[in-house]
Amino acid sequence: MSLTVPLAAQAAMPSAQHSTLAQPVKVMIISMFGPEGKVWLDHLGPWRAVAVPGLSPDYPEVHCNAQQVCVMTTGMGHTNAAASLMALTFSDQFDLRRTYFLIAGIAGIDPAQGTLGSAAWAKYLVDFGMQWEIDAREKPEDWPSGMLGINTHSPSEKPPLDYRTETFTLNAALAERAYTLSRNVKLADSAEAQAARSKFPEAPANQPPKVIQCDTLAGDTWWSGKLIGERARVWTKQMTDGKGTYCTTQQEDNATYEALKRAASTGRVDLNRVAAVRTGSDFDRPYPGQSAAENLLDYAKQGGFVPAIDNLYRAGNPLVQDITTRWSEWRNGVPAQ
């Protein structure tokens, strides 16, 4: 007796080689450029390097250890993130059907939510670049900025989600578990970061870093300023129906998630197993008396880069270790707290 499998079902079934010969992965750590990946490689080795066709030519290998934890680096920006994740997830070298994906990278941070070195677990990924924009010098006088949603008539109107990548909702149970596991870790700091944050008059900007929960905006344009920062806050509220709170700004996360979503549509990935943490490497707006230009051009002088890199590992590793050491509880999904 023969069995005919519908084409849609065939597409959702990994190949025989993929299911029987591919290397299973418990945790795949997704970094975007060299230092973000190196902090994991320095702590969790030894590693075996696996070359994957289609990855970034700057980062052509995935590194995996004996605990089935792997680290990949996508290259920076939307385009590199999407291309690298597609290459990874459609490669038959790994079995990713039960893999937990940890997006871990540095970001700009809103001083109203965190500070240099803070580690923020997100529940919403929002695309900040998916907007119409009029030069602020030419905008209507009653508009707070020159930005508005595509196919809307005012900055206060939520746009139709025609692109289907504008907003993604992560598994809240996984985000909560990640936060619970890491909220009491001691985060790294630096004298330079302490000096930079002391110029802000209010908490949490002028306080030591800690693990927090708030959401992240993706967009390839680096920006700085109070007014565009206010747009970031409003945009996050609009795109999440008031549920999300903006706190970090980065380039890649919506592109990364969309690539994972494409893989999930074929049964290769489980989207309920995606977590995202971003650490504050610089403030997204100036302190009182500083210009937006100074804040942007001198971002590296804030001293947040080194602790932010270190805190990717400090905040993310408790989740990684809990998954790998208690795999029987995590194997079939996020365990109840």
Side-chain angles (χ1 to χ4, degrees), residues 27-32 72 74 78 81-90 96-97 99-104 125 165 168 170 174 252-276:
V27 180
M28 177 68 69
I29 298 164
I30 302 171
S31 61
M32 278 50 73
M72 71 167 298
T74 65
H78 264 60
S84 293
L85 263 295
M86 291 291 282
L88 173 77
T89 55
F90 284 90
L96 304 174
R97 291 172 296 174
T99 300
Y100 288 88
F101 293 88
L102 174 57
I103 304 169
L125 311 179
T165 61
F168 295 120
L170 300 180
L174 178 55
E252 300 89 4
D253 289 3
N254 281 60
T256 296
Y257 190 91
E258 175 63 20
L260 292 171
K261 184 179 175 183
R262 302 283 181 93
S265 71
T266 70
R268 290 174 172 265
V269 165
D270 180 355
L271 285 179
N272 286 316
R273 300 179 182 225
V274 181

Side-chain angles (χ1 to χ4, degrees), residues 110-111 128 131 133-137 139-148 155 217 223-236 246 283-287 290-293 295:
D110 183 346
F128 197 43
Q131 299 185 68
E133 183 175 7
I134 300 171
D135 190 301
R137 293 166 292 186
K139 71 175 182 66
E141 291 185 2
D142 60 341
W143 287 13
S145 77
M147 296 179 174
L148 69 163
L217 289 186
W223 55 269
S224 169
K226 296 178 182 177
L227 297 180
I228 194 170
E230 181 57 33
R231 176 60 181 171
R233 293 171 179 170
V234 170
W235 183 247
T236 301
Y246 160 71
F283 288 111
D284 70 356
R285 66 201 71 199
Y287 57 80
Q290 184 188 36
S291 71
N295 179 64

Side-chain angles (χ1 to χ4, degrees), residues 11-312:
M13 296 169 59
S15 67
Q17 179 187 20
H18 179 76
S19 60
T20 60
L21 299 179
Q23 175 179 332
V25 177
K26 293 176 181 174
V27 180
M28 177 68 69
I29 298 164
I30 302 171
S31 61
M32 278 50 73
F33 73 119
E36 291 173 346
K38 185 176 183 297
V39 71
W40 296 97
L41 299 178
D42 287 347
H43 284 93
L44 299 181
W47 302 95
R48 179 174 68 90
V50 182
V52 178
L55 291 186
S56 165
D58 295 325
Y59 311 104
E61 298 173 330
V62 176
H63 293 82
C64 298
N65 67 16
Q67 288 72 46
Q68 297 180 356
V69 175
C70 298
V71 180
M72 71 167 298
T73 303
T74 65
M76 294 184 288
H78 264 60
T79 304
N80 283 319
S84 293
L85 263 295
M86 291 291 282
L88 173 77
T89 55
F90 284 90
S91 167
D92 281 334
Q93 293 168 269
F94 300 99
D95 184 348
L96 304 174
R97 291 172 296 174
R98 296 185 184 273
T99 300
Y100 288 88
F101 293 88
L102 174 57
I103 304 169
I106 63 174
I109 194 160
D110 183 346
Q113 299 297 330
T115 191
L116 301 174
S118 291
W121 292 100
K123 293 182 181 179
Y124 294 98
L125 311 179
V126 179
D127 196 324
F128 197 43
M130 201 72 72
Q131 299 185 68
W132 278 346
E133 183 175 7
I134 300 171
D135 190 301
R137 293 166 292 186
E138 300 176 274
K139 71 175 182 66
E141 291 185 2
D142 60 341
W143 287 13
S145 77
M147 296 179 174
L148 69 163
I150 297 172
N151 288 320
T152 66
H153 293 87
S154 76
S156 62
E157 183 181 345
K158 181 180 178 179
L161 305 183
D162 295 332
Y163 291 75
R164 301 179 186 173
T165 61
E166 294 94 337
T167 304
F168 295 120
T169 303
L170 300 180
N171 182 346
L174 178 55
E176 287 289 346
R177 175 57 66 90
Y179 171 72
T180 298
L181 289 167
S182 62
R183 63 185 176 186
N184 294 321
V185 301
K186 180 176 176 56
L187 296 181
D189 203 355
S190 72
E192 294 83 359
Q194 292 168 11
R197 71 168 63 95
S198 70
K199 297 175 182 178
F200 284 85
E202 297 177 346
N206 61 12
Q207 298 298 303
K210 63 180 183 179
V211 179
I212 57 180
Q213 289 180 302
C214 43
D215 303 303
T216 191
L217 289 186
D220 277 344
T221 298
W222 282 43
W223 55 269
S224 169
K226 296 178 182 177
L227 297 180
I228 194 170
E230 181 57 33
R231 176 60 181 171
R233 293 171 179 170
V234 170
W235 183 247
T236 301
K237 292 296 184 184
Q238 284 182 355
M239 300 302 286
T240 62
D241 296 321
K243 299 174 184 176
T245 299
Y246 160 71
C247 74
T248 61
T249 172
Q250 38 74 31
Q251 295 178 295
E252 300 89 4
D253 289 3
N254 281 60
T256 296
Y257 190 91
E258 175 63 20
L260 292 171
K261 184 179 175 183
R262 302 283 181 93
S265 71
T266 70
R268 290 174 172 265
V269 165
D270 180 355
L271 285 179
N272 286 316
R273 300 179 182 225
V274 181
V277 63
R278 287 282 178 168
T279 54
S281 62
D282 56 278
F283 288 111
D284 70 356
R285 66 201 71 199
Y287 57 80
Q290 184 188 36
S291 71
E294 289 173 326
N295 179 64
L296 179 63
L297 298 178
D298 294 336
Y299 78 93
K301 296 180 181 179
Q302 296 180 30
F305 179 83
V306 172
I309 290 291
D310 194 6
N311 290 340
L312 291 173

